[in-house]
Amino acid sequence: YLFYLATMLWKTIYDNAAQTLPPVTETQMGKAEERNWELIEEVKSKVFRERLNVFFEDSEQEDLLAFAEDMLTLEDQDELTEEGREPMFIALKSMVDCLLTE
């Protein structure tokens, strides 16, 4: 499911890119994930959607992030656990950060 969502986000970014997307290195992805984990760890709420608000503040990625959030909170999602949603969102957010970095 993570691969499917990542592919959907990549395709959306790729289709809207004015130029070829640069390759993303493991180091870039690691730094983006670390930054995103630091942000979410500062959030006190235990409610998943409320925990994600920090990523939407002053974001130019709101549509992409909303897609990821919505897909991770579908009611009929049997394959996705409560515990798995947050790490998946962080992975998707980090990927988007790396692809949209100028």
Side-chain angles (χ1 to χ4, degrees):
Y1 192 59
L2 177 62
F3 181 74
Y4 168 75
L5 295 178
T7 302
M8 295 297 293
L9 290 171
W10 175 84
K11 180 76 169 125
T12 300
I13 294 168
Y14 179 81
D15 287 348
N16 292 308
Q19 57 193 19
T20 305
L21 295 175
V24 175
T25 67
E26 183 179 343
T27 302
Q28 289 171 303
M29 187 67 171
K31 287 180 181 179
E33 279 191 325
E34 188 174 321
R35 236 183 356 260
N36 289 324
W37 277 116
E38 287 172 1
L39 282 172
I40 204 162
E41 285 174 359
E42 293 176 9
V43 177
K44 302 297 183 218
S45 176
K46 300 292 183 202
V47 178
F48 179 67
R49 284 188 182 261
E50 291 175 8
R51 291 182 60 75
L52 301 185
N53 287 342
V54 67
F55 299 112
F56 287 89
E57 297 168 3
D58 301 320
S59 175
E60 296 178 13
Q61 311 161 352
E62 193 167 333
D63 291 343
L64 297 171
L65 299 181
F67 167 78
E69 177 185 18
D70 290 345
M71 296 305 290
L72 294 173
T73 56
L74 293 174
E75 293 296 323
D76 60 349
Q77 194 62 265
D78 294 333
E79 299 84 21
L80 188 60
T81 64
E82 294 282 324
E83 297 81 10
R85 294 187 305 181
E86 195 166 287
M88 287 179 68
F89 183 86
I90 295 295
L92 295 168
K93 167 72 167 90
S94 300
M95 182 193 84
V96 169
D97 290 347
C98 290
L99 290 172
L100 293 178
T101 300
E102 302 272 333

